[in-house]
Amino acid sequence: AQKVTQAQTEISVVEKEDVTLDCVYETRDTTYYLFWYKQPPSGELVFLIRRNSFDEQNEISGRYSWNFQKSTSSFNFTITASQVVDSAVYFCALRRMVYGGSQGNLIFGKGTKLSVKP
Amino acid sequence: DSGVTQTPKHLITATGQRVTLRCSPRSGDLSVYWYQQSLDQGLQFLIQYYNGEERAKGNILERFSAQQFPDLHSELNLSSLELGDSALYFCASSAGATSSYEQYFGPGTRLTVT
């Protein structure tokens, strides 16, 4: 079975602090995709990143960085110098890497609500 | 803007009623996914259609059904509504049916059952 756990339900930081959102996943597949999505107060789901399971390189995009460690089944997300606009619910998700069939659906964690205070 | 449209944006109805949520995928996308986001269950996959055919089913109740039409838009029908069906319903589309294709989410339809 596939499962994504985001143990942090809510995090509150002050602007300019760094914050790391944890994500631990479970899967028996050897190949899969991992994702992070952002859901601002307006409600839409905004895609942030996709990683393939065979690519463990960390990625940095501006103030965002992602640490993928297959050995610990973790895919953590760090926001550096947080800003008020970063306030949102962040979801980690898993998708099986299946070719020629279906099961392309996303399996989401429960989300972490990040509040960044000025 | 993802290019996926969902109507209506908000829907308020009473228990026992039936509603239809509509989704138009991005131009050229053949696959449509429906997800439900509720306080209890979080974000969960309901059903997937590809080019008019059902491809995968998740935790979709028997009171719920969906279809994808020849013009590729999709509708999610919810009947005999209960208070617990109140949720944000998302539609996502992708070019293909398999997991190698990116999913793009619509803005969601917020359903409130009173």
Side-chain angles (χ1 to χ4, degrees):
Chain A
Q2 331 285 318
K3 186 179 177 183
V4 176
T5 301
Q6 294 179 255
Q8 305 149 309
T9 308
E10 290 193 43
I11 300 176
S12 182
V13 299
V14 176
E15 211 170 16
K16 295 184 185 169
E17 281 186 26
D18 298 348
V19 58
T20 295
L21 309 183
D22 297 333
C23 172
V24 173
Y25 61 92
E26 294 174 34
T27 180
R28 291 185 180 178
D29 294 346
T30 54
T31 54
Y32 45 87
Y33 295 103
L34 293 166
F35 300 80
W36 276 94
Y37 283 86
K38 174 182 179 179
Q39 187 176 39
S42 51
E44 74 272 24
L45 278 169
V46 178
F47 165 81
L48 294 178
I49 189 171
R50 176 177 85 166
R51 300 298 287 174
N52 302 331
S53 56
F54 44 80
D55 182 3
E56 286 193 68
Q57 271 194 331
N58 290 330
E59 182 152 342
I60 298 174
S61 175
R63 295 184 298 107
Y64 295 170
S65 62
W66 290 269
N67 184 309
F68 175 32
Q69 291 196 342
K70 211 166 177 177
S71 59
T72 56
S73 298
S74 66
F75 185 43
N76 297 336
F77 173 30
T78 297
I79 302 175
T80 302
S82 60
Q83 299 176 2
V84 173
V85 292
D86 295 327
S87 296
V89 180
Y90 290 86
F91 292 94
C92 181
L94 170 71
R95 192 166 86 204
R96 305 186 72 186
M97 195 182 289
V98 180
Y99 296 97
S102 58
Q103 298 189 27
N105 58 283
L106 290 156
I107 299 151
F108 288 91
K110 295 287 190 187
T112 297
K113 182 177 181 180
L114 174 65
S115 298
V116 182
K117 304 196 185 308
Chain B
D1 186 349
S2 67
V4 179
T5 60
Q6 290 187 247
T7 56
K9 202 174 174 68
H10 300 279
L11 198 49
I12 301 174
T13 189
T15 54
Q17 295 299 305
R18 173 189 169 96
V19 296
T20 296
L21 313 184
R22 182 187 169 105
C23 168
S24 293
R26 292 186 325 150
S27 177
D29 283 0
L30 299 177
S31 194
V32 168
Y33 299 79
W34 286 97
Y35 292 86
Q36 178 197 57
Q37 183 179 24
S38 65
L39 286 174
D40 295 341
Q41 302 294 328
L43 257 168
Q44 58 176 0
F45 167 67
L46 295 179
I47 197 164
Q48 176 198 3
Y49 277 81
Y50 175 73
N51 205 19
E53 292 188 5
E54 182 185 304
R55 290 299 293 264
K57 249 181 177 176
N59 298 324
I60 188 166
L61 299 172
E62 283 192 14
R63 300 183 285 109
F64 295 2
S65 64
Q67 53 185 326
Q68 186 178 27
F69 295 86
D71 67 352
L72 300 176
H73 91 270
S74 178
E75 293 181 356
L76 179 67
N77 301 296
L78 316 176
S79 61
S80 303
L81 284 167
E82 302 175 359
L83 295 177
D85 298 328
S86 295
L88 188 52
Y89 291 85
F90 286 104
C91 164
S93 76
S94 66
T98 63
S99 57
S100 58
Y101 294 94
E102 205 55 72
Q103 290 181 28
Y104 297 86
F105 282 82
T109 292
R110 185 169 295 281
L111 172 66
T112 303
V113 182
T114 62

